[in-house]
Amino acid sequence: MSGGTEPASGPSGPSGAAGGDEGADLSFDEALVRLESIIERMESRDAGLEESLAGYERGVRLLRHCRDVLKRAEDRVEELNRVLDGSAPEGRAGN
């Protein structure tokens, strides 16, 4: 195992997870960087079982956040396209 001190050493450890909203205040790019970091750590096999499980949980939350951000961006692009096509009121496109 990895010495046992890393998992609780800061925001990236299990104690840094703030319930189910991890990543909620991050930009898409920041969340993606954190997710990639978690994946690299797990693939390096330096993490023990507990750290790997905690990383997996954080990764799932970050992945959900990234999907939500992408969905909102996709919805906005679709709305803008409807405005350009004249099929939606222009006042809604800026939201």
Side-chain angles (χ1 to χ4, degrees), residues 31-82:
L32 192 57
V33 166
R34 288 192 185 185
L35 183 57
E36 289 171 346
S37 174
I38 290 169
I39 292 168
E40 288 174 11
R41 176 76 175 150
M42 291 175 72
E43 287 179 343
S44 74
R45 300 188 189 265
D46 289 336
L49 178 61
E50 293 298 320
E51 183 180 355
S52 293
L53 287 172
Y56 184 84
E57 290 172 2
R58 287 191 313 275
V60 167
R61 288 190 293 269
L62 289 166
L63 181 60
R64 285 183 187 144
H65 172 69
C66 288
R67 286 182 177 167
D68 290 344
V69 171
L70 286 174
K71 177 65 176 145
R72 287 192 304 270
E74 181 180 78
D75 291 347
R76 186 166 183 206
V77 167
E78 287 177 5
E79 181 68 25
L80 290 169
N81 284 334
R82 283 192 291 271

Side-chain angles (χ1 to χ4, degrees), residues 4-41:
T5 57
E6 254 181 62
S9 65
S12 62
S15 62
D21 65 346
E22 174 149 351
D25 59 339
L26 297 176
S27 71
F28 175 83
D29 293 326
E30 292 169 330
L32 192 57
V33 166
R34 288 192 185 185
L35 183 57
E36 289 171 346
S37 174
I38 290 169
I39 292 168
E40 288 174 11
R41 176 76 175 150

